[in-house]
Amino acid sequence: MVQVCVNGARGSGDGAVVPLSPDALAESAAQAVAAGATDVHVHPKTPCGRDTLSPRVLAAVLKAIRARLPARVPVGVTTGAWAEPGPAARVARIRGWTVLPDHASVNWHEPGAEETAAALLERGVAVEAGIWSGTDGAARFLRSPLAPKVLRVLAEVTDTDPATAPGSARVLLAGLGAAHGRPVLLHGEDGGAWPVLRLAGRLGLATRIGLEDTLHLPDGSRAASNADLVTAAVREWSSARRGSD
């Protein structure tokens, strides 16, 4: 599984290739799926480019993306605290959604994570448990009564040093242990994105790539699109996997 994270918290200042509008997100997601992505993660944006959990914005983004994708491809969104800082307001937003994503990520180190995950599950939205390295997210997740109910664990390596990110990833995975038997998706960001993706290949774990995680291809050149990143990710993951056999 290669998930494409099409935009993340990035904005117009990160370059024209970062999709922001519903139509641009849909086009980018469709190209990425054609390149080999099997799942989509998106950050819906307000007209001014800010991440939001607004029911109106979410509905427009999901409808646009789903109109361009095969029905088999799941589409998920963020519930990061930066998109709606108050836990109670975050839950209220989720309860007001009129169009539902297939899944949504919940960062377990953030205040209100349990309430956010519970609200998603009540609506029938699958939960991706975001466990960031360098936080107490793993310990909180392993204590959570909701942990066995999540769709998967997103092991998110925040170490951006390409030399040390794989080691940080192994520490994070060790802290998660069996992760309540849930599937693990391992990924890095910026300088750590490609080394961690290769580690995911060697370990046979699902991974993700996209303009949220990195703006650059493995050779350091600027990526022209999410599809370019996915094409490279499939190649790099497969090569690393073959090398582990």
Side-chain angles (χ1 to χ4, degrees):
M1 172 190 169
V2 176
Q3 182 183 78
V4 60
C5 47
V6 294
N7 59 347
R10 299 192 193 273
S12 57
D14 294 297
V17 298
V18 179
L20 302 176
S21 71
D23 287 344
L25 290 167
E27 175 66 18
S28 188
Q31 291 176 359
V33 168
T38 55
D39 190 284
V40 174
H41 172 76
V42 62
H43 289 211
K45 305 280 187 181
T46 64
C48 63
R50 187 180 70 84
D51 285 8
T52 181
L53 305 185
S54 158
R56 179 182 57 81
V57 175
L58 194 83
V61 168
L62 290 175
K63 287 178 180 178
I65 292 176
R66 284 175 171 153
R68 296 292 306 276
L69 297 184
R72 59 179 168 76
V73 179
V75 182
V77 300
T78 184
T79 64
W82 59 86
E84 190 65 67
R90 203 175 314 143
V91 168
R93 286 289 206 186
I94 291 167
R95 289 177 176 161
W97 286 350
T98 56
V99 177
L100 298 178
D102 297 290
H103 53 72
S105 61
V106 177
N107 298 321
W108 231 263
H109 66 281
E110 292 178 347
E114 293 279 334
E115 295 85 352
T116 300
L120 290 165
L121 292 170
E122 288 170 5
R123 300 279 337 252
V125 177
V127 171
E128 295 182 305
I131 311 299
W132 292 20
S133 65
T135 73
D136 63 351
R140 289 188 180 194
F141 174 73
L142 293 176
R143 293 195 301 267
S144 172
L146 299 179
K149 301 179 181 180
V150 305
L151 173 66
R152 68 176 67 95
V153 171
L154 302 180
E156 309 196 42
V157 181
T158 59
D159 181 353
T160 59
D161 185 331
T164 58
S168 297
R170 290 187 182 276
V171 170
L172 177 58
L173 293 172
L176 283 166
H180 289 281
R182 307 317 302 145
V184 174
L185 183 158
L186 176 66
H187 75 95
E189 60 185 46
D190 292 324
W194 293 109
V196 172
L197 183 142
R198 294 184 194 103
L199 176 62
R202 291 194 294 274
L203 298 176
L205 296 175
T207 193
R208 82 175 200 187
I209 201 68
L211 294 168
E212 173 175 353
D213 288 344
T214 181
L215 298 173
H216 296 91
L217 294 166
D219 64 3
S221 63
R222 187 89 170 191
S225 66
N226 279 299
D228 281 355
L229 290 170
V230 170
T231 297
V234 172
R235 182 181 64 246
E236 295 286 318
W237 189 98
S238 299
S239 177
R241 186 63 185 153
R242 287 193 300 271
S244 72
D245 293 340

